[in-house]
Amino acid sequence: MDFLDRKLSKRFRTFDDDRNGGNEGTSRWMKAAGIAIDEEHYRKVANAKDIDRRTYTSRQHQDYLKPEEVLECEKYRIQDTYGMSVTPELVEQDDGGRLIKKIVALEAILAAPGEMVADD
C-alpha cells in the first residue's frame, strides 16, 4: 500500500452522512474499506524485509522509493524507535511516528525539574 492508499483510507473514514446523501450503508461501507486498507498496510509493514541502518539512511536521500522500500523503511524506523519486533499492532499504535512523540512529551511532563529528556 502506498501513500495515496493511506490518505484515501483516512479520508473515507472522515466522510459524514451529509456528504453521502445521508446513505448510512455507503458510509459504513466506506469506513469498512478504510479500515481494511489500513489493516493491510499494518500487515505489509510488519512483513516487510528487514534492512540495516546504512540502507535506511541511504534511502532517506533518494527522491523516489519503490513501494516495498517505503514499507521496509517504515519497519526499520519502528523497530529502531521501540527496540522490539514489529507487529501489525505496533505499526497501528505507532500511527506514523505519532506515538513516540506522545511518549517523549509524557516523559517530559513526568521528568523531575531540570532533568533532560532524550527524544531519540
Side-chain angles (χ1 to χ4, degrees):
M1 178 166 63
D2 62 6
F3 176 76
L4 181 58
D5 289 335
R6 287 192 306 255
K7 283 298 198 189
L8 287 174
S9 72
K10 290 182 190 273
R11 179 102 32 200
F12 284 147
R13 284 179 285 161
T14 61
F15 278 24
D16 58 26
D17 288 339
D18 294 336
R19 288 198 170 156
N20 294 320
N23 187 335
E24 219 172 284
T26 301
S27 178
R28 279 196 306 267
W29 181 86
M30 292 178 76
K31 286 179 184 178
I35 290 168
I37 289 170
D38 285 346
E39 288 174 351
E40 178 69 8
H41 173 72
Y42 307 147
R43 187 189 61 75
K44 283 185 174 183
V45 171
N47 293 330
K49 185 179 90 175
D50 290 329
I51 60 173
D52 58 16
R53 177 177 294 282
R54 183 175 172 200
T55 303
Y56 176 79
T57 303
S58 168
R59 288 181 181 172
Q60 298 309 299
H61 302 289
Q62 295 178 8
D63 291 333
Y64 174 78
L65 296 175
K66 295 176 185 174
E68 63 270 10
E69 293 173 331
V70 173
L71 295 170
E72 292 164 2
C73 286
E74 186 171 356
K75 180 177 182 178
Y76 176 83
R77 180 192 58 75
I78 292 169
Q79 197 166 30
D80 185 57
T81 299
Y82 302 104
M84 56 192 300
S85 62
V86 178
T87 64
E89 294 79 15
L90 180 57
V91 177
E92 179 180 13
Q93 291 299 312
D94 176 63
D95 193 21
R98 289 180 188 90
L99 177 61
I100 194 64
K101 291 176 184 172
K102 291 176 184 177
I103 291 171
V104 170
L106 178 61
E107 287 177 347
I109 291 169
L110 298 175
E115 183 180 346
M116 293 289 288
V117 175
D119 63 353
D120 50 333

